[in-house]
Amino acid sequence: MRTRSGSLYRSGGGGGETAMVGQKRKRSSLPPQYATAGDCCGGGGGRRKRLAGGGPDYLDELPDDLVLAVLSKLAASASSPSDLLSVHLTCKRLNGLGRHDMVFAKASPASLAVKAASWSEPVQRFLKLCADAGNLEACYILGMIRFYCLGNRSGGAALLARAAVGGHAAALYSLAVIQFNGSGGAKSDRDLRAGAALCARAAALGHVDALRELGHCLQDGYGVRRDPAEGRRFLVAANARELTLALAAAASHRPFAALPLAGGAGAGAIGCPLLSDFGWSLPEAEPHPANLFMADWWASRGVQATAKKPGLEAPAAATGDSDGGGELRLCSHVRCGRRETRRHEFRRCSVCGAANYCSRACQALDWKRAHKAQCVPMDRWLLAAGEAQ
């Protein structure tokens, strides 16, 4: 018989009648590392008590291989880091199996998209576990954070190289940028031919920025033999690839017929910067989580990448980090997040001298995104400075 509170009276013969009213639930005796997780597979936990009157706990009967397969599928489809963390808080068995290398190796890019505001040692340890398990995306994200944000050049470059060997297109392109700029070393450490080769490999995998960078290299003869026609072909391929990706992303939210043309859009419409060449006005693609992390990381530390308006100050103080102070500058493309590893590492805009870019791809994107309306020739800067005096 049950009371209103759910307590159970056992009915026995004679003096064997025992009351279970008011009996407190005993805590399971788990190790300290599992103090926050429930116990579904032993130790007298609450889950076993709740299932005592309703049947056996079938989770205990499943083999570990099957549970690992399920957890791997969950990790591959996780939409945020919390989806993986919630598994460890479920029970002792899932907490242990969730730490298997198979689960970390299958972690989705969305589950690895950590925020700069939540960066901590446990977050870095989580990314390191995923990278050690062979997750290429984790190798790339942690490598970029270590190389550009934490100042660990050798460790970051090693992780980027591991991801590049595995065929990660973004890691190949990032290593190409490092080779072009000689990042982490002296100016003499630049290797243009190696940068062009890495860029060609990333372009073969369909990386849009690599296609665009390789096109400009061929047009200018930068690290490769000059071939303007072939360079133009790569630039067209980059725009076509970008258009394909934008249409695929937009089609999941609205019908193809509803996508507006640039001619019919308002003057203040914001579209993908280079797709205007094809007459389209589509939302700009989201940057990679590693670039978002780096941009937020430096923004939280007061380092800005935007150039100041022309005619107000001298060009030396136009980018948040001045040359006179000896500080390092950010790439002026606000969605890049890369910062110089030595002074004067990034190339400047040849017209105004105020904007700095880590690559030609970032320069092309920022030109149509913002800098086209901000760029003012150097002589006008000097004229405005002379009139102010």
Side-chain angles (χ1 to χ4, degrees), residues 56-83:
D57 186 0
Y58 292 105
L59 181 59
D60 293 345
E61 307 299 328
L62 295 177
D64 289 349
D65 293 343
L66 182 57
V67 178
L68 279 176
V70 173
L71 292 179
S72 299
K73 290 290 185 180
L74 174 64
S77 60
S79 58
S80 65
S82 60
D83 291 346

Side-chain angles (χ1 to χ4, degrees), residues 35-357:
T36 58
D39 186 9
C40 68
C41 53
R47 178 185 173 97
R48 179 173 293 282
K49 285 186 176 182
R50 290 194 299 271
L51 295 176
D57 186 0
Y58 292 105
L59 181 59
D60 293 345
E61 307 299 328
L62 295 177
D64 289 349
D65 293 343
L66 182 57
V67 178
L68 279 176
V70 173
L71 292 179
S72 299
K73 290 290 185 180
L74 174 64
S77 60
S79 58
S80 65
S82 60
D83 291 346
L84 283 181
L85 296 178
S86 61
V87 173
H88 298 277
L89 301 177
T90 304
C91 67
K92 179 179 178 181
R93 187 185 183 197
L94 293 184
N95 189 14
L97 293 177
R99 298 174 182 271
H100 198 277
D101 287 348
M102 183 187 301
V103 180
F104 288 131
K106 295 291 185 180
S108 65
S111 66
L112 302 172
V114 297
K115 304 296 183 182
S118 59
W119 180 255
S120 61
E121 186 60 32
V123 174
Q124 183 173 194
R125 189 162 53 248
F126 166 70
L127 290 176
K128 184 66 166 59
L129 288 172
C130 294
D132 292 341
N135 192 307
L136 299 182
E137 187 71 12
C139 290
Y140 173 68
I141 293 177
L142 185 58
M144 293 289 285
I145 293 174
R146 286 186 174 181
F147 190 91
Y148 286 105
C149 298
L150 304 182
N152 186 358
R153 312 295 184 198
S154 58
L159 287 171
L160 290 175
R162 190 192 306 176
V165 169
H168 195 279
L172 286 164
Y173 173 69
S174 295
L175 286 177
V177 173
I178 291 174
Q179 293 293 334
F180 280 138
N181 297 323
S183 302
K187 185 176 181 180
S188 59
D189 294 330
R190 295 188 304 171
D191 193 338
L192 304 185
R193 293 176 63 103
L198 289 167
C199 208
R201 177 60 180 161
L205 296 175
H207 195 270
V208 176
D209 289 341
L211 285 166
R212 187 170 292 120
E213 183 78 16
L214 188 59
H216 286 293
C217 288
L218 286 168
Q219 284 191 328
D220 301 337
Y222 192 75
V224 292
R225 188 180 62 180
R226 188 170 182 271
D227 190 344
E230 188 70 7
R232 178 61 182 171
R233 187 181 72 83
F234 273 100
L235 292 177
V236 172
N239 281 267
R241 175 68 174 169
E242 189 177 36
L243 177 61
T244 302
L245 295 176
L247 290 177
S252 60
H253 300 288
R254 49 182 173 167
F256 180 84
L259 298 177
L261 288 172
I270 300 177
C272 197
L274 293 179
L275 292 181
S276 58
D277 295 341
F278 293 89
W280 293 94
S281 178
L282 298 176
E284 188 173 357
E286 285 295 322
H288 193 278
N291 298 98
L292 282 178
F293 182 97
M294 294 189 298
D296 294 341
W297 177 273
W298 295 119
S300 65
R301 283 153 177 76
V303 182
Q304 301 295 329
T306 54
K308 298 186 181 298
K309 293 183 179 180
L312 297 180
E313 297 188 30
T319 57
D321 291 336
S322 61
D323 293 338
E327 296 183 357
L328 304 177
R329 302 166 298 183
L330 285 177
C331 178
S332 294
H333 182 36
V334 294
R335 294 196 166 197
C336 174
R338 290 181 176 87
R339 195 187 191 195
E340 291 179 326
T341 60
R342 66 174 187 278
R343 292 187 60 191
H344 308 298
E345 177 184 336
F346 293 164
R347 60 179 57 86
R348 286 187 172 187
C349 175
S350 59
V351 177
C352 65
N356 313 280
Y357 299 104

